Amino acid sequence: MAQDVTDHGAVGDGSTDDTAAIRAAADAASPGGTVYFPAGTYLVGSNSPFPLDYPMDGSWDNLTWKGESFGSTVLQMVGGQSRWHMMFRARSSDGSQMTGVRFEQLTMDMNGSQQSGAPGSGWFRVYDGSGTFTMRDCVIKNSLNFGVQLGDDIAGDFKYCQFSRCGDPDVSAGHALNLNQSSKQTTNISWCLIEDSAGTDIDIGDDTTADYQTVIVERSYFSAGLGAVKIDPGNLKTVLRNTYIAGGSRTTRGIKTNNDNYDCGSLELEDVVIENCGGPGIDLGGGGHGTLTLNQVAVRNVENDGMRSFGGYSGMGIYAEGVDLGTSGTISVHNVSPNNDGIALFFDESSSGSIEEVRHDGTSGIGSLSSVTVGTAAAGSTQLKPDTVAKSEVGPRTSESTTDGTNESEETTEETSGSINLGNLGGYNQPAEGVLDWHIPLNENFQSIESDIISLAEKVNELENN
């Protein structure tokens, strides 16, 4: 059941605290319904640092929180907080779990500039949860620590979202996403923009030595804070595809392991750009990691601060200890260190595998390969141009925008009701709804399919003979 928060007394005028009305709408919509917010700014938190705390009795399970549009509908934390605060929180004392949640077309503003007396804040932390935490076309901004932190048994699914200014730059702490699940879970992140984080944009795992998190990032753009991705021992596998990592003046490393003394799982990169870092573009210190698979990866303008030195080398485009590169593809490393005199690669003696081709320029040489085999080392060659996204292509969409060629309203319909838009079935006849004589249109389709297959076979035969 859908419940409009204004029907329960919410005002949305940016000055009235609407916490009670929003909670009443959630109670009425539960379980499994929709809490709807018309355009407006809805303040919460005047009377509690955790205004939208989940009841944890199952009554709010599988709720959808939906705004009119991310540009017109804002949930904002009231200023003047003096202690740790979160807009949403799912935490139990008896082992009970929140089951599933979905957010659509909302901007969540933690109002960090007005919380000078608070030690930290996060928008939503799931201590105890299962199912999937889903977000579509949302903006999370201005928290003093994290945007979303997932723990326990809940998976993550983030698409067309924007995370801005998460964390406190004065102490270089805070992440857009903390993925700290304590069971094997997969989190998918696609078509997202993460910018201006105080710490690393995504923090995967924690100090627990276990294979828990699988994180898949696709077609996203990081305007990195201290870095784009930090991998801890809890990580099983992290995959980045078609993704752009643009460092800045505060960026230390594009992708890094958090502790040189632990195995931090496997890393796979395909069609990825990493640029403008104070240290290496990829820094996997410590031994005993899993695989490091690279294909169509461009690293450039790194080691600007000369952060990594090892074994007589100073300044490295990619640094890794104890990795298995398997059969990696083509990579390029350009402009390492301020004077372009750093090395392209450093692998220690416990690393293995092969790279098909390494293109490099603006370096003193390819570097230390140890037992890693390189098929072609092309000095002075041009940079790769991986298939990545531009900043303007990612983040929340308007209802009319379809960045990836899909229609989100159709996706939502399929997810919530199971209906499918069959369209015209590729030009074949589609039986009308309610028609009983299905054999008639099916026979016509079979005849058309048979004709198409015969025609295709004739063309293939003709090409082979020529």
Side-chain angles (χ1 to χ4, degrees):
M1 178 182 294
Q3 295 289 324
D4 188 320
V5 296
T6 60
D7 291 339
H8 293 267
V11 181
D13 62 358
S15 59
T16 303
D17 189 296
D18 290 318
T19 302
I22 294 170
R23 295 192 66 91
D27 290 339
S30 300
T34 297
V35 182
Y36 178 72
F37 298 81
T41 297
Y42 299 86
L43 292 183
V44 296
S46 293
N47 300 310
S48 170
F50 311 109
L52 299 177
D53 232 13
Y54 262 59
M56 301 304 290
D57 59 1
S59 61
W60 283 16
D61 281 358
N62 296 306
L63 275 181
T64 294
W65 305 77
K66 181 178 177 63
E68 183 173 320
S69 73
F70 75 91
S72 65
T73 311
V74 180
L75 272 65
Q76 186 176 76
M77 196 76 178
V78 170
Q81 302 292 334
S82 60
R83 53 178 286 194
W84 254 97
H85 54 284
M86 303 173 202
M87 189 178 290
F88 287 84
R89 185 179 64 163
R91 184 175 187 175
S92 71
S93 58
D94 59 4
S96 58
Q97 296 176 314
M98 175 194 78
T99 302
V101 65
R102 183 181 178 100
F103 292 89
E104 300 177 11
Q105 293 287 347
L106 285 164
T107 289
M108 276 70 75
D109 184 358
M110 290 302 295
N111 205 11
S113 64
Q114 302 303 310
Q115 319 292 1
S116 59
S121 69
W123 170 63
F124 200 139
R125 181 170 181 179
V126 179
Y127 292 87
D128 304 287
S130 61
T132 303
F133 191 107
T134 303
M135 294 186 69
R136 295 290 187 270
D137 301 294
C138 290
V139 177
I140 310 297
K141 63 182 183 179
N142 300 327
S143 72
L144 294 178
N145 194 269
F146 59 85
V148 177
Q149 183 165 337
L150 300 183
D152 204 17
D153 300 322
I154 195 162
D157 182 5
F158 303 90
K159 195 171 185 180
Y160 311 116
C161 292
Q162 177 179 342
F163 297 82
S164 297
R165 297 182 297 280
C166 292
D168 184 350
D170 291 336
V171 293
S172 298
H175 314 283
L177 291 170
N178 284 77
L179 305 174
N180 298 339
Q181 295 95 329
S182 55
S183 65
K184 289 184 180 292
Q185 299 295 331
T186 297
T187 295
N188 292 283
I189 302 163
S190 60
W191 298 96
C192 287
L193 169 63
I194 304 181
E195 58 181 359
D196 301 326
S197 300
T200 307
D201 296 332
I202 301 178
D203 184 0
I204 300 170
D206 54 23
D207 288 338
T208 303
T209 304
D211 295 332
Y212 286 152
Q213 286 80 21
T214 294
V215 179
I216 301 173
V217 180
E218 298 184 282
R219 295 204 172 274
S220 293
Y221 190 102
F222 297 81
S223 184
L226 285 184
V229 177
K230 181 176 73 171
I231 303 172
D232 294 276
N235 172 69
L236 172 62
K237 183 178 183 180
T238 294
V239 179
L240 279 78
R241 302 188 187 107
N242 309 103
T243 291
Y244 203 105
I245 297 174
S249 60
R250 298 177 54 252
T251 306
T252 58
R253 300 159 173 91
I255 300 172
K256 69 171 184 175
T257 50
N258 193 37
N259 195 314
D260 283 358
N261 299 318
Y262 295 100
D263 176 0
C264 291
S266 297
L267 177 64
E268 177 182 317
L269 277 66
E270 182 172 0
D271 281 296
V272 173
V273 171
I274 303 173
E275 64 180 9
N276 298 330
C277 303
I282 302 172
D283 190 338
L284 307 183
H289 297 299
T291 57
L292 169 62
T293 307
L294 306 172
N295 186 37
Q296 295 294 309
V297 176
V299 175
R300 59 198 186 212
N301 303 325
V302 297
E303 280 284 14
N304 298 320
D305 299 329
M307 298 187 66
R308 173 65 86 170
S309 61
F310 193 87
Y313 295 97
S314 181
M316 303 154 191
I318 297 175
Y319 177 89
E321 297 180 63
V323 297
D324 178 7
L325 286 139
T327 305
S328 289
T330 301
I331 67 173
S332 67
V333 181
H334 285 71
N335 304 332
V336 181
S337 83
N339 299 316
N340 290 346
D341 56 1
I343 59 175
L345 306 172
F346 183 94
F347 299 111
D348 74 340
E349 64 279 358
S350 61
S351 296
S352 60
S354 65
I355 304 174
E356 180 180 353
E357 180 183 359
V358 178
R359 304 180 185 181
H360 64 99
D361 194 21
T363 67
S364 62
I366 192 169
S368 174
L369 301 178
S370 295
S371 299
V372 174
T373 302
V374 172
T376 302
S381 56
T382 58
Q383 301 178 24
L384 288 174
K385 296 182 179 179
D387 175 16
T388 62
V389 291
K391 188 175 182 178
S392 60
E393 295 179 295
V394 297
R397 308 160 302 162
T398 63
S399 58
E400 295 82 15
S401 174
T402 52
T403 305
D404 67 343
T406 64
N407 186 299
E408 185 65 24
S409 63
E410 291 180 4
E411 175 190 332
T412 302
T413 301
E414 289 186 27
E415 290 180 0
T416 56
S417 70
S419 63
I420 301 174
N421 182 6
L422 296 175
N424 62 9
L425 297 176
Y428 298 117
N429 296 325
Q430 178 179 341
E433 185 174 352
V435 171
L436 296 178
D437 294 328
W438 278 76
H439 64 281
I440 297 176
L442 285 174
N443 285 340
E444 293 172 352
N445 285 347
F446 291 146
Q447 292 170 7
S448 298
I449 293 169
E450 181 182 26
S451 175
D452 287 346
I453 292 173
I454 292 172
S455 176
L456 178 61
E458 290 174 349
K459 291 179 180 177
V460 170
N461 185 57
E462 180 181 350
L463 288 171
E464 289 178 345
N465 291 333
N466 290 336

